[in-house]
């Protein structure tokens, strides 16, 4: 199946993002099942969010791609009922729908934030920055201009935590702390 990225479907009907919980470490398999088996007329897009982070092993720093929301995949559709119906047809997703009860719609404000941060590729690259007089300045990367959203920086792990708008909505939808991780390397502190 040729998969295209569409933000809005034809006829002016907006596409809504839905969240489908799955077993941890089965995200890519579930994504493949959805992309392959659900018709394009029902499923506009299916994706996971990823981010780059640095990890040190064997005495060197390595760039790794991590899942932003483990055990979650995102589905874009303009018909929740048909989407749920299609997902119930296939082994692997049938059990997921039973366990969750249904797919969960993502609030528009959270969707807008995630779109602005990850873009159409649904991936967040590493950023670099400096800390001057206790103020973080991101000099390059996708976090540039989003410094006010950074609530915590772990310089040792080269990670930042970003506040998400409508934290309560995100907690309910994703069962997370209301922050998302992002790769941030601080190259200078004065």
């Amino acid at each position: 199946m040729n998969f295209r990225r569409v933000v809005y479907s034809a006829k002016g009907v907006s596409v809504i993002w839905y969240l489908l919980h799955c077993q941890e470490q089965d995200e890519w398999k579930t994504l493949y099942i959805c992309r392959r088996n659900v018709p394009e007329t029902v499923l506009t897009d299916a994706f996971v969010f990823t981010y780059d982070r640095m990890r040190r092993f064997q005495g060197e720093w390595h760039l790794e791609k991590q899942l932003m929301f483990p055990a979650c995949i995102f589905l874009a559709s303009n018909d929740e009922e048909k989407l749920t119906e299609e997902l119930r047809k296939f082994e692997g997703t049938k059990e997921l729908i039973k366990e969750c009860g249904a797919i969960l719609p993502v609030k528009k404000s959270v969707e807008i934030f995630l779109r602005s941060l990850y873009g159409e590729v649904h991936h967040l690259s590493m950023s670099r920055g400096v800390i001057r007089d206790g103020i973080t300045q991101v000099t390059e990367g996708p976090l540039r201009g989003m410094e006010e959203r950074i609530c915590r920086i772990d310089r040792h792990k080269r990670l930042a935590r970003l506040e998400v708008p409508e934290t309560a909505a995100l907690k309910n939808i994703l069962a997370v702390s209301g922050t998302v991780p992002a790769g941030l390397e601080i190259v200078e502190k004065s």
Side-chain angles (χ1 to χ4, degrees):
M1 174 198 264
N2 234 351
F3 226 78
R4 62 188 193 283
R5 302 224 183 258
V6 177
V7 178
Y8 296 100
S9 66
K11 302 176 189 163
V13 178
S14 65
V15 172
I16 298 171
W17 283 4
Y18 297 95
L19 180 77
L20 176 64
H21 287 280
C22 62
Q23 291 293 323
E24 201 161 331
Q25 299 185 5
D26 278 350
E27 299 90 353
W28 296 105
K29 177 183 167 189
T30 306
L31 187 64
Y32 176 77
I33 290 169
C34 291
R35 283 182 172 175
R36 182 173 171 131
N37 296 308
V38 180
E40 287 183 20
T41 55
V42 176
L43 182 65
T44 312
D45 199 1
F47 52 91
V48 293
F49 286 102
T50 57
Y51 70 101
D52 285 339
R53 70 171 289 173
M54 300 295 290
R55 293 192 82 170
R56 187 174 175 95
F57 55 90
Q58 296 177 350
E60 295 180 17
W61 285 98
H62 301 269
L63 187 66
E64 290 185 340
K65 189 179 201 178
Q66 297 283 317
L67 284 174
M68 179 64 61
F69 305 111
C72 296
I73 66 167
F74 290 80
L75 308 171
S77 178
N78 55 12
D79 191 337
E80 180 178 358
E81 194 174 301
K82 283 184 182 175
L83 180 60
T84 303
E85 184 181 311
E86 287 293 331
L87 291 173
R88 285 192 173 138
K89 292 180 182 178
F90 304 104
E91 287 301 320
T93 57
K94 192 186 316 182
E95 294 302 316
L96 295 171
I97 295 294
K98 276 186 198 170
E99 288 174 19
C100 298
I103 53 177
L104 303 170
V106 176
K107 278 200 167 195
K108 197 67 175 173
S109 59
V110 174
E111 178 185 335
I112 291 168
F113 171 73
L114 293 174
R115 278 185 194 278
S116 70
L117 192 59
Y118 297 94
E120 290 302 312
V121 294
H122 306 115
H123 178 75
L124 185 64
S125 302
M126 281 290 293
S127 295
R128 297 181 81 191
V130 297
I131 299 176
R132 293 201 176 105
D133 299 324
I135 299 172
T136 303
Q137 297 173 338
V138 178
T139 55
E140 61 185 76
L143 298 183
R144 191 171 185 182
M146 300 191 93
E147 289 87 352
E148 72 281 349
R149 290 218 180 267
I150 298 173
C151 59
R152 184 169 184 268
I153 296 174
D154 185 333
R155 291 182 64 206
H156 178 71
K157 292 184 179 180
R158 300 179 182 185
L159 279 177
R161 302 285 312 172
L162 304 175
E163 289 181 358
V164 179
E166 304 231 11
T167 302
L170 189 69
K171 283 181 185 177
N172 291 338
I173 290 171
L174 301 174
V176 295
S177 65
T179 64
V180 292
L184 176 64
E185 182 177 18
I186 299 297
V187 294
E188 179 186 328
K189 184 178 179 181
S190 59

